[in-house]
Amino acid sequence: MSLNSTAFSHPPYFLLVGIPGLEKEQFWIAFPFCIMYAIAVLGNITLLLIIKGEPSLHEPMYLFLAMLALTDLVLSTSMLPKMLGIFWLGSKEIGFLSCLAQLFFIHTFSSVESGVLMAMALDRYIAICCPLRHSSILSVPAVVALGSLVLVRGVLLVSPFCFLLRRMPFCQHHVISHSYCEHMAVVKLACGDTRFSVIYGLFVAFIVTGSDMILISVSYTMILRVVMRLSSTEARLKAFSTCASHVCVILAFYVPALFTFLTHRFGHSIPSHLHIMVANLYLLVPPMLNPIVYGVRTKKLWDRVV
């Protein structure tokens, strides 16, 4: 392949617009985003240190929570520093390979987060429905194996995004109408046949989000059936309280995720600035909320903090 055709296929860099339509307001929007990121980093690092330093917390629920905290740190750090560069410094350029790397980390760890939430729902189901077998079914090696499986799934499913994009010609199109390198936002710039990339993106979204949400829904349906059979109102409230924090975290992750995914493909009438704003919050709100929700709702963690 000649140098000219290589340049034709791969632009040396992309330009990230930020939030289309809100370019003038971006400088001020960056401040709450920065505060949310600072809370997310502080909260998740605190969670990791507490769980690592307290042997009594080395059980499935808290090990999954440590995985969630680590995932949130990678996810938010993959996009926020560059976004602040765009909003505050006007540093819109991102190299082609850097863009693919950002895309890989954001989509891989979004998949990992979904998988960890599914694993946590499974843990709650076993703890409430099969309490006597909980420690034998979800031993520490089983938890590590499940976490590793979720990570490998994310890497294997997302890697083809990058390989496919490297093989696509981009002509002179290099302005991304987004704050970070999102798969569909980059695919839209390609001037070749993108049908396979679009179909594969839909497949990954449905296979990850669809399967995880089904398993989470089944787990909580079974939990609800068991809890409603309990004769003691106090026992029911305790069981509901145990699951409440997890349900809040699930909603905070999946509602904006589904909105972003569906808007990219079908919501052409939705203003682009609203879509991009939700896409940004989708990667910032859950990492910020998770340590707060679990820290306040989980007595063992709260006791360690105070």
Side-chain angles (χ1 to χ4, degrees):
M1 185 178 284
S2 68
L3 287 173
N4 287 340
S5 63
T6 303
F8 174 84
S9 295
H10 300 151
Y13 62 86
F14 289 114
L15 286 176
L16 289 162
V17 170
I19 304 175
L22 294 178
E23 286 86 356
K24 291 181 180 178
E25 292 81 6
Q26 285 178 173
F27 181 85
W28 302 108
I29 292 171
F31 285 98
F33 280 6
C34 187
I35 292 168
M36 290 164 74
Y37 177 64
I39 294 169
V41 170
L42 182 64
N44 285 297
I45 288 176
T46 302
L47 267 186
L48 287 169
L49 291 175
I50 289 171
I51 293 168
K52 183 178 183 294
E54 181 54 56
S56 68
L57 298 179
H58 296 173
E59 54 186 66
M61 178 181 172
Y62 301 102
L63 294 176
F64 284 131
L65 185 53
M67 291 179 198
L68 191 66
L70 194 58
T71 302
D72 283 337
L73 284 172
V74 175
L75 199 54
S76 54
T77 303
S78 297
M79 52 80 80
L80 203 280
K82 178 60 184 174
M83 192 187 297
L84 292 180
I86 298 167
F87 291 0
W88 280 339
L89 306 174
S91 175
K92 297 182 178 183
E93 285 189 13
I94 183 168
F96 182 80
L97 293 179
S98 298
C99 184
L100 293 188
Q102 188 186 52
L103 182 153
F104 173 79
F105 278 102
I106 286 172
H107 287 287
T108 295
F109 282 89
S110 291
S111 167
V112 171
E113 177 129 359
S114 179
V116 173
L117 290 174
M118 178 270 293
M120 292 173 84
L122 185 66
D123 170 61
R124 291 300 85 212
Y125 162 71
I126 296 171
I128 291 173
C129 301
C130 316
L132 298 178
R133 299 174 58 200
H134 183 244
S135 57
S136 59
I137 295 172
L138 279 180
S139 59
V140 172
V143 170
V144 172
L146 194 53
S148 302
L149 195 63
V150 164
L151 178 60
V152 169
R153 179 189 71 168
V155 170
L156 291 179
L157 286 174
V158 173
S159 294
F161 286 173
C162 302
F163 295 132
L164 288 168
L165 286 169
R166 283 204 69 176
R167 295 174 64 87
M168 285 183 185
F170 285 86
C171 308
Q172 300 302 313
H173 310 305
H174 63 283
V175 178
I176 301 174
S177 297
H178 212 299
S179 305
Y180 55 85
C181 289
E182 198 271 345
H183 176 243
M184 279 304 298
V186 179
V187 167
K188 285 177 180 177
L189 299 184
C191 55
D193 186 357
T194 61
R195 281 177 298 178
F196 186 75
S197 279
V198 172
I199 292 167
Y200 183 70
L202 285 167
F203 166 76
V204 171
F206 282 121
I207 205 74
V208 171
T209 311
S211 61
D212 290 349
M213 286 185 73
I214 288 168
L215 286 168
I216 288 170
S217 300
V218 169
S219 296
Y220 275 96
T221 302
M222 301 291 283
I223 288 169
L224 196 60
R225 286 178 63 187
V226 170
V227 169
M228 293 310 290
R229 288 192 199 130
L230 296 174
S231 55
S232 166
T233 305
E234 188 181 341
R236 268 190 233 157
L237 289 172
K238 187 178 179 182
F240 278 129
S241 178
T242 305
C243 299
S245 53
H246 191 218
V247 172
C248 290
V249 167
I250 288 169
L251 291 174
F253 177 76
Y254 282 112
V255 171
L258 287 171
F259 176 85
T260 303
F261 167 73
L262 294 172
T263 302
H264 240 315
R265 284 145 182 97
F266 312 112
H268 304 298
S269 61
I270 293 174
S272 58
H273 65 269
L274 177 62
H275 168 213
I276 304 303
M277 187 71 83
V278 173
N280 293 339
L281 292 173
Y282 153 60
L283 297 183
L284 280 174
V285 172
M288 178 191 71
L289 277 185
N290 291 350
I292 296 171
V293 169
Y294 280 108
V296 171
R297 298 287 303 175
T298 308
K299 188 176 185 302
K300 272 190 179 182
L301 282 173
W302 183 247
D303 289 346
R304 291 293 301 165
V305 172
V306 297

